Amino acid sequence: MTRHTLSWMALFAALALPGVASAHHAMEKDGMWVDHQGMTLYTFDKDAGGKSMCNGECATNWPPLMVSDGEKAEGKWTQIKRDDGKMQWAYDGKPLYTFVKDKKAGDMTGDGMKDVWHVAKP
């Protein structure tokens, strides 16, 4: 087998794991959304009307889940335009972020932070 074939086999095996559902930009794992590195995704209570209120220093601490070129929104997944003109993923109208203090996959140190940050759930 070629390395390319083995890479595809590994990808399909990972997607078949129980408890993991995948969207192009995020995955559901153990009842919450994570990015493709397994980092927990969060929502911010101050976001409203499909607009991110987390910019500047806030976005440094809470990096937005950014849209890559060519990615398409479908179902409850939407793309919102940030203040800097870049596009961010939102689920069910809520923009999604990671947290700079989460160091490894599965960390959820931002959950409940200042009573406005919460783990994103499907």
Side-chain angles (χ1 to χ4, degrees), residues 52-111:
S52 171
M53 300 306 290
C54 181
N55 296 286
E57 187 176 336
C58 177
T60 299
N61 292 318
W62 298 90
L65 181 63
M66 301 305 292
V67 175
S68 297
D69 288 340
E71 288 184 310
K72 304 286 184 211
E74 55 187 50
K76 291 186 174 189
W77 289 96
T78 56
Q79 300 174 2
I80 62 161
K81 187 176 279 194
R82 297 184 49 74
D83 285 356
D84 63 6
K86 295 179 181 174
M87 300 301 287
Q88 176 180 359
W89 282 111
Y91 181 77
D92 202 16
K94 298 175 184 174
L96 297 172
Y97 309 85
T98 56
F99 184 42
V100 73
K101 291 186 179 179
D102 286 351
K103 299 300 180 191
K104 65 184 182 318
D107 282 355
M108 295 185 294
T109 61
D111 192 29

Side-chain angles (χ1 to χ4, degrees), residues 1 12 17 32 37 44 56 59 61 86 98 115:
M1 282 190 227
F12 290 127
L17 291 173
M32 63 184 190
Q37 287 74 47
F44 184 42
N61 292 318
K86 295 179 181 174
T98 56
D115 293 326

